[in-house]
Amino acid sequence: MTVPSKINLFINRMLENEEQLRWGVELLLKREDFEKFFDQLQEAGLFAAERNPGPSPAKEPGYMYIPYWPVLDYLAACAKQAGELPNLELAHKIMMVIRKVCDFANSDGTIRENYHTSRKFAEILGLLPNEVSTLADMDLVQRWLADRFDHGLVCHALDKGAMYRFLGSEREEDWGKALRITFHCTALTPEDNKGEAHTVVDAHWLKKFIGHHARVLGQKLGEKAAAVFHGRLQEVFGKGSRSRFSYVYRAAVEDHPQNHAWKTAENHMVEGLRDLLLGWVDTDADAASVYVKALLAGELEIARRIALYVIDKQWSQLSNLFEETLSPDLFESGHRHELYWLLSNHFAEMMKTQQASVVEAIHNLPVHQAAEDQDDSRRACQRAWLSAINGKGCKEADQWFAALGAGENAVGLSKHPDLLSYIETSWGSGPSPYQIHELIAFAKDGCLIEALNNFQPTGRWDDPGIESLVDVLEEAVQAEPILFLQTPSAFLQAKSPYQYAILSGFKKLWDKPASDITNINWDHAWEQIIKFLEELLGSEGFWSEEIVEYDVMTPSRNSIPPMVADLLHAGTHNDLHAYAPDLLPKTKELIELLLVKVTPENEVSDDPMTQAINSAKGKTIEALFSLALRVCRLADQSTGSHNEAWEKLKPFFDSELIKCAGSNYEFSTLAAAYLANLEYLDSNWLAVNIVKIFPEQWPGNFHSAIGGLVYAQSSQRVYALLLKANVIERGLRSTSVKPDFKTRLIERVALAYLWGEEELDSPRFQYWFDARDEDALKAISYFFWSVSNESLTVNQIERIKMFWMTCLEWGDTQRERPGQLLSSLSNLACYIEEIGEREFRLLEATAPYCEIDYNATGFIEKLERLTAGNPKKVYQILMKLLETHVPTYDYESRLLSVVQKLTDQGLREEAK
């Protein structure tokens, strides 16, 4: 009887299944002599073509899963070593494996697809010595690129490996291999139903491929390489409108903003031939010159344009070609961009006779038969061409250019005469008519308001606009604040946008770090600002002024009240950075005026808080809250009580609350968001008015208040008030409350449960259990998991486990097991330190369901932590998990760690 050797036993284990194969490859690659086992692995059939896995159906219907063949890592490692030593014998063996795998077909005759395998083979091709591959082997690339599930990774692997290796060789046959790879990577798919051409390789990877290698291909292979790209250009541009109007599909041969990024096939083939020719001229200008001349005489318009571009860029070597081909026909419209810049760049260098020939050719431009007025069309075309050579040393051309642009029959000239069409888009408001230094100079001269008010925009989208002038004025205020603080009242005569700009400029300045604004006496500044605000808002003419809407983004008179509110809010928000207390009475009056004058929103919003903090009324209410809190804090510091200060402010809050009856939704929202602050201001007032903040008889205000409540600070006192006022109950049961708002309410109940303010038999919990509301219970479970990093007490963790157990018991009574809830509960394993009888029940019951929402990886991590002290129980729980979930990947080797710990603690058979 022959006893198998250790290596044979090892290989037999690798043949058992994919996991053992992956494990075996990992162990082999940890050895320094891993390549010595190549022959034995091959004899055992580990590299057999039929073992390369094909696509298989994924769990989700309609999707496919592409398994990774673990031996690819071993083959790549061997290839790397074979290329570095070199080891030609091993390299030939690896190349033979690649050929056999690629030749293998399925039982139905189709090619077996696996883009992982194709990518690794493309990578290996760049690792092996060049001698072991043949030109015919390069045709394997076509098969790799035909994979339905990948259109870029193979090209990327070839780009960074094989192409550099082959083109870096001294052997011409290796250059030919690189060219054959290029031929396959630049292939096109059949045209789609819109007649659009597309590349086999994804545009991103093909652009990189061509950018890295086209120039070198030209240097090494010249005409052979040019023929490949010219052939591709012929496929893309050789028929239909592309052949006659190539500039529509590729505006410029060079990289240019007017080129359409989505025209990938057009772009990449143009870039390929362009760069290739530039490289060819560098190494063999004479041969390249013959080819470029043939392109100029050819029928393919895009190729002629590329030729003109190359002549322009390589003028010192190819200028003679221009003189040989110069004629009126060269000035056809399709050549406009490339010929325009060739003339612009080199006309001044030409001999006088050559310049004269150019001018003569422009004189004799062919007439466009389709033009309505052929003479005007011809003159416009002539002036466009002349603009390229104007001022370049030819007096006749300069005079002719000027004459065409003068008189009654003057010919206009576009901003981009080098292009037949130019698409321009923009955002923002265009340039400003004045820059910062100019506005500062106007202010010093006392004529700033006049200059601002006299500016009249043209209305053209690309001309200076008021919005841009407002932005520059804000910057000027921040650059020279003391200058603008000297006479702020002068801006009472300014138009509304500029009044807004002054206030916004000071607001932005105030918001900067104190270290950036040390040169300002802010006490004086605030006095000046508030005086200006009193004069501005105190004028009835301000409120009765006709609203001029310049455009959507330009501030108007309506923009000023919310900016004032923002400024006053900023001035009281932080006690360490606030205006002087003696200014508070004045700002209180300003806020009172704003509360009277600004109009609240009249519609209930789906997002009440966003509406509140962005509306004029909402900003004013926030300023009121901020001022009230500052006043009361100062009173507490000086007298130890703020009751007297609050009594003077309370009427404002009473007045606004009365309006919350089908209106004043901003106050409903913000009062609910500031519940904790209202408790500080006057807890009795809050207790009395909580039902008015959340009015049952006014659904719109209740909805708005709930929208604010989700942003409110949580406290046991406030929760008790909400519970007593039946707010929580109404919010949870309401069908009009948004789901995400309701989730935040559920989380408040969960938090109250941790505080001991709620119990599992409370009406809230019983409502969810009775209504079979799995979503609500999941939300609570998720909340408990989200606070796992907080410092919870032993009692709070116990309450979480009680909730977990209650959910399990409830799930036992349901017709169908609540799988998503059970999966969510598996996250709570983070609270288990020891597996007692109850903890075992919790973990075992949730284990089979944890993969439903992809929680299995986290659950295994938590089991790994518990294995050391509870090996048998963890084994049982893990087996429950594996009944329903077989991992395809062991994240961070956590499952392996569990198995190793089981082995270490004597459970060897269980570990196996």
Side-chain angles (χ1 to χ4, degrees):
M1 176 179 178
T2 302
V3 179
S5 65
K6 287 185 177 180
I7 184 60
N8 288 333
L9 288 173
F10 178 75
I11 293 174
N12 288 336
R13 289 282 298 278
M14 292 176 68
L15 290 166
E16 289 179 7
N17 54 54
E18 184 183 345
E19 292 296 326
Q20 294 288 357
L21 178 59
R22 182 182 294 111
W23 166 76
V25 169
E26 289 176 357
L27 289 179
L28 282 174
L29 292 180
K30 290 178 180 178
R31 298 176 60 102
E32 293 184 1
D33 60 347
F34 61 85
E35 80 287 352
K36 293 181 179 180
F37 301 96
F38 185 93
D39 290 339
Q40 289 168 282
L41 294 174
Q42 188 171 33
E43 289 172 8
L46 281 168
F47 306 145
E50 59 270 20
R51 294 183 66 87
N52 175 37
S56 59
K59 288 183 179 179
E60 194 170 345
Y63 289 84
M64 301 297 287
Y65 168 65
I66 313 297
Y68 185 82
W69 193 17
V71 300
L72 294 171
D73 293 332
Y74 180 80
L75 290 171
C78 289
K80 186 173 185 293
Q81 191 171 95
E84 290 173 350
L85 289 176
N87 182 340
L88 292 180
E89 182 182 357
L90 177 60
H92 276 295
K93 292 176 182 178
I94 295 170
M95 195 66 225
M96 188 59 67
V97 170
I98 292 175
R99 291 173 185 139
K100 288 183 177 179
V101 171
C102 293
D103 284 342
F104 181 78
N106 296 313
S107 57
D108 60 359
T110 58
I111 298 299
R112 179 165 294 182
E113 295 175 300
N114 187 313
Y115 67 85
H116 297 303
T117 302
S118 299
R119 172 181 60 85
K120 291 298 288 187
F121 282 174
E123 180 184 317
I124 289 169
L125 198 61
L127 296 172
L128 293 171
N130 293 349
E131 295 90 331
V132 303
S133 61
T134 67
L135 186 63
D137 289 329
M138 302 306 108
D139 290 333
L140 296 175
V141 171
Q142 183 178 25
R143 180 171 298 178
W144 299 339
L145 293 174
D147 195 297
R148 292 170 295 162
F149 303 104
D150 170 64
H151 302 286
L153 295 178
V154 167
C155 180
H156 177 54
L158 294 167
D159 170 18
K160 66 181 184 179
M163 288 296 291
Y164 282 109
R165 194 174 189 103
F166 290 144
L167 288 175
S169 169
E170 297 298 322
R171 304 191 315 163
E172 189 169 348
E173 61 185 280
D174 289 333
W175 306 345
K177 295 174 189 175
L179 185 60
R180 184 67 65 89
I181 290 174
T182 302
F183 175 79
H184 292 308
C185 287
T186 57
L188 302 172
T189 63
E191 289 184 354
D192 60 21
N193 54 11
K194 295 181 180 179
E196 294 286 339
H198 299 282
T199 55
V200 167
V201 172
D202 282 341
H204 171 78
W205 300 116
L206 184 57
K207 182 176 181 66
K208 286 181 175 292
F209 181 95
I210 291 173
H212 292 158
H213 307 296
R215 199 171 190 115
V216 180
L217 283 166
Q219 293 169 347
K220 300 279 188 180
L221 290 164
E223 186 171 0
K224 291 180 181 178
V228 169
F229 279 98
H230 188 273
R232 297 301 186 208
L233 277 175
Q234 187 70 46
E235 291 181 64
V236 177
F237 287 95
K239 59 183 179 180
S241 59
R242 284 178 175 79
S243 65
R244 294 175 289 115
F245 308 108
S246 64
Y247 58 86
V248 174
Y249 301 90
R250 175 80 184 197
V253 168
E254 79 273 18
D255 296 334
H256 193 285
Q258 288 295 295
N259 293 335
H260 302 312
W262 60 91
K263 297 290 185 183
T264 54
E266 293 86 342
N267 291 336
H268 297 334
M269 302 315 154
V270 169
E271 292 159 6
L273 184 58
R274 175 197 72 192
D275 294 350
L276 185 149
L277 290 175
L278 292 173
W280 187 8
V281 173
D282 283 340
T283 55
D284 190 352
D286 291 339
S289 176
V290 174
Y291 188 84
V292 172
K293 183 177 181 179
L295 291 182
L296 280 172
E299 295 184 358
L300 193 60
E301 180 183 88
I302 188 64
R304 297 197 300 270
R305 291 174 55 199
I306 294 172
L308 288 169
Y309 174 84
V310 172
I311 293 171
D312 176 17
K313 295 303 175 185
Q314 304 282 19
W315 181 258
S316 60
Q317 297 103 316
L318 304 179
S319 59
N320 62 302
L321 291 182
F322 175 73
E323 187 173 5
E324 292 174 15
T325 57
L326 178 60
S327 71
D329 290 337
L330 191 62
F331 288 77
E332 68 170 74
S333 59
H335 299 164
R336 171 72 68 85
H337 182 74
E338 286 68 36
L339 182 54
Y340 183 98
W341 286 109
L342 184 153
L343 293 172
S344 180
N345 292 333
H346 303 294
F347 185 78
E349 305 171 33
M350 296 178 186
M351 296 172 56
K352 295 296 182 184
T353 54
Q354 199 171 5
Q355 288 183 345
S357 297
V358 170
V359 174
E360 182 181 359
I362 296 174
H363 268 294
N364 296 317
L365 289 181
V367 176
H368 293 287
Q369 300 296 328
E372 291 185 11
D373 191 322
Q374 294 181 359
D375 183 57
D376 283 351
S377 174
R378 181 176 177 178
R379 291 171 69 243
C381 190
Q382 288 171 331
R383 190 158 193 254
W385 286 115
L386 288 170
S387 68
I389 61 176
N390 184 45
K392 300 292 175 65
C394 179
K395 187 176 181 180
E396 179 189 352
D398 294 349
Q399 291 175 343
W400 185 18
F401 176 78
L404 286 173
E408 293 183 3
N409 297 321
V411 176
L413 187 69
S414 74
K415 290 168 64 175
H416 304 280
D418 58 314
L419 293 165
L420 292 171
S421 64
Y422 193 92
I423 300 172
E424 195 167 19
T425 59
S426 179
W427 53 90
S429 57
S432 169
Y434 304 114
Q435 299 308 307
I436 295 175
H437 67 279
E438 294 175 294
L439 295 181
I440 291 173
F442 292 155
K444 289 178 178 178
D445 290 342
C447 61
L448 175 61
I449 307 304
E450 181 182 2
L452 294 171
N453 287 342
N454 286 340
F455 169 64
Q456 295 292 332
T458 65
R460 284 175 50 88
W461 66 271
D462 56 347
D463 279 353
I466 292 177
E467 183 191 347
S468 296
L469 181 53
V470 167
D471 293 339
V472 174
L473 181 56
E474 289 178 7
E475 294 178 27
V477 171
Q478 295 172 71
E480 292 282 352
I482 297 174
L483 173 65
F484 288 91
L485 282 169
Q486 290 174 357
T487 56
S489 295
F491 276 85
L492 293 171
Q493 307 305 319
K495 291 180 179 179
S496 297
Y498 311 123
Q499 293 173 340
Y500 173 92
I502 289 294
L503 296 174
S504 178
F506 281 115
K507 165 70 166 53
K508 291 178 178 178
L509 197 64
W510 177 257
D511 289 340
K512 289 182 178 181
S515 58
D516 293 351
I517 48 177
T518 54
N519 62 324
I520 301 177
N521 181 344
W522 274 108
D523 287 343
H524 171 71
W526 273 107
E527 288 178 1
Q528 293 295 99
I529 292 169
I530 290 172
K531 180 183 177 183
F532 172 64
L533 294 178
E534 288 175 327
E535 294 175 330
L536 180 64
L537 301 184
S539 168
E540 193 56 40
F542 172 82
W543 299 102
S544 60
E545 174 188 323
E546 181 183 357
I547 307 300
V548 178
E549 298 290 353
Y550 298 93
D551 58 54
V552 176
M553 301 301 294
T554 301
S556 67
R557 201 277 289 162
N558 276 346
S559 308
I560 294 176
M563 174 49 66
V564 173
D566 274 343
L567 182 59
L568 297 178
H569 183 192
T572 55
H573 183 65
N574 185 341
D575 285 349
L576 298 177
H577 187 50
Y579 56 73
D582 58 2
L583 294 174
L584 287 167
K586 293 185 176 183
T587 55
K588 184 180 76 170
E589 291 178 2
L590 288 171
I591 292 173
E592 181 180 9
L593 179 61
L594 289 173
L595 287 171
V596 172
K597 292 292 189 179
V598 297
T599 304
E601 298 293 327
N602 56 13
E603 296 289 339
V604 180
S605 172
D606 285 341
D607 189 351
M609 182 58 81
T610 298
Q611 181 188 64
I613 63 177
N614 287 291
S615 71
K617 183 63 182 286
K619 289 176 181 288
T620 304
I621 292 167
E622 283 203 290
L624 172 64
F625 269 102
S626 185
L627 178 135
L629 290 166
R630 168 117 172 104
V631 168
C632 290
R633 287 194 301 268
L634 290 173
D636 285 336
Q637 293 168 14
S638 61
T639 67
S641 171
H642 64 257
N643 290 340
E644 184 178 343
W646 166 251
E647 286 300 321
K648 295 178 182 178
L649 292 163
K650 186 169 67 171
F652 294 110
F653 291 84
D654 289 333
S655 174
E656 291 302 317
L657 191 56
I658 290 172
K659 300 173 189 175
C660 294
S663 182
N664 209 22
Y665 301 117
E666 294 95 332
F667 189 81
S668 294
T669 302
L670 292 168
Y674 281 87
L675 284 179
N677 304 101
L678 286 170
E679 184 185 19
Y680 160 72
L681 292 171
D682 189 343
S683 58
N684 291 327
W685 186 92
L686 178 59
V688 170
N689 291 294
I690 189 78
V691 292
K692 295 179 182 178
I693 295 174
F694 296 90
E696 186 172 3
Q697 66 272 39
W698 298 106
N701 294 90
F702 179 78
H703 171 81
S704 298
I706 292 292
L709 177 62
V710 301
Y711 295 93
Q713 181 180 344
S714 299
S715 74
Q716 291 178 259
R717 162 78 175 163
V718 169
Y719 185 81
L721 287 175
L722 293 169
L723 209 57
K724 184 177 180 181
N726 206 32
V727 173
I728 301 293
E729 204 78 22
R730 282 188 283 136
L732 292 172
R733 295 175 183 247
S734 172
T735 57
S736 61
V737 172
K738 288 175 61 177
D740 53 335
F741 291 174
K742 196 167 289 189
T743 299
R744 301 289 86 78
L745 288 177
I746 292 169
E747 290 174 353
R748 284 181 178 269
V749 177
L751 180 58
Y753 171 72
L754 293 182
W755 287 335
E757 298 289 332
E758 288 278 0
E759 299 296 339
L760 293 175
D761 58 357
S762 75
R764 269 68 58 194
F765 279 94
Q766 287 305 305
Y767 170 70
W768 293 319
F769 284 123
D770 292 344
R772 297 184 178 88
D773 193 341
E774 187 178 352
D775 288 336
L777 298 173
K778 276 172 53 185
I780 296 172
S781 174
Y782 180 82
F783 175 77
F784 288 158
W785 172 78
S786 71
V787 298
S788 59
N789 291 326
E790 304 292 332
S791 299
L792 300 186
T793 66
V794 173
N795 180 58
Q796 288 172 331
I797 293 174
E798 175 61 24
R799 292 178 75 84
I800 290 173
K801 292 179 182 178
M802 289 168 55
F803 168 77
W804 188 352
M805 181 61 75
T806 302
C807 288
L808 293 183
E809 293 170 350
W810 171 79
D812 290 339
T813 67
Q814 303 306 300
R815 183 177 304 173
E816 293 184 7
R817 298 290 286 176
Q820 289 188 324
L821 172 61
L822 295 172
S823 177
S824 175
L825 290 169
S826 71
N827 290 318
L828 302 183
C830 59
Y831 291 108
I832 293 179
E833 298 297 333
E834 293 290 337
I835 306 180
E837 182 177 344
R838 180 182 60 168
E839 287 74 19
F840 180 76
R841 159 82 169 119
L842 296 175
L843 294 170
E844 184 186 43
T846 51
Y849 302 93
C850 62
E851 178 53 22
I852 289 178
D853 284 329
Y854 307 104
N855 292 317
T857 298
F859 190 72
I860 292 171
E861 178 189 12
K862 297 173 183 70
L863 289 181
E864 192 268 340
R865 175 175 56 83
L866 295 166
T867 306
N870 309 273
K872 289 188 177 180
K873 292 177 180 177
V874 167
Y875 165 70
Q876 291 174 287
I877 295 165
L878 184 59
M879 294 307 293
K880 280 288 184 181
L881 183 153
L882 295 175
E883 287 178 4
T884 58
H885 169 64
V886 178
T888 57
Y889 177 65
D890 185 13
Y891 181 67
E892 293 185 347
S893 300
R894 290 169 180 169
L895 191 56
L896 177 61
S897 178
V898 173
V899 174
Q900 288 173 336
K901 288 182 179 181
L902 292 176
T903 303
D904 294 342
Q905 295 179 82
L907 302 184
R908 187 175 182 84
E909 291 303 316
E910 289 84 347
K912 288 183 180 180

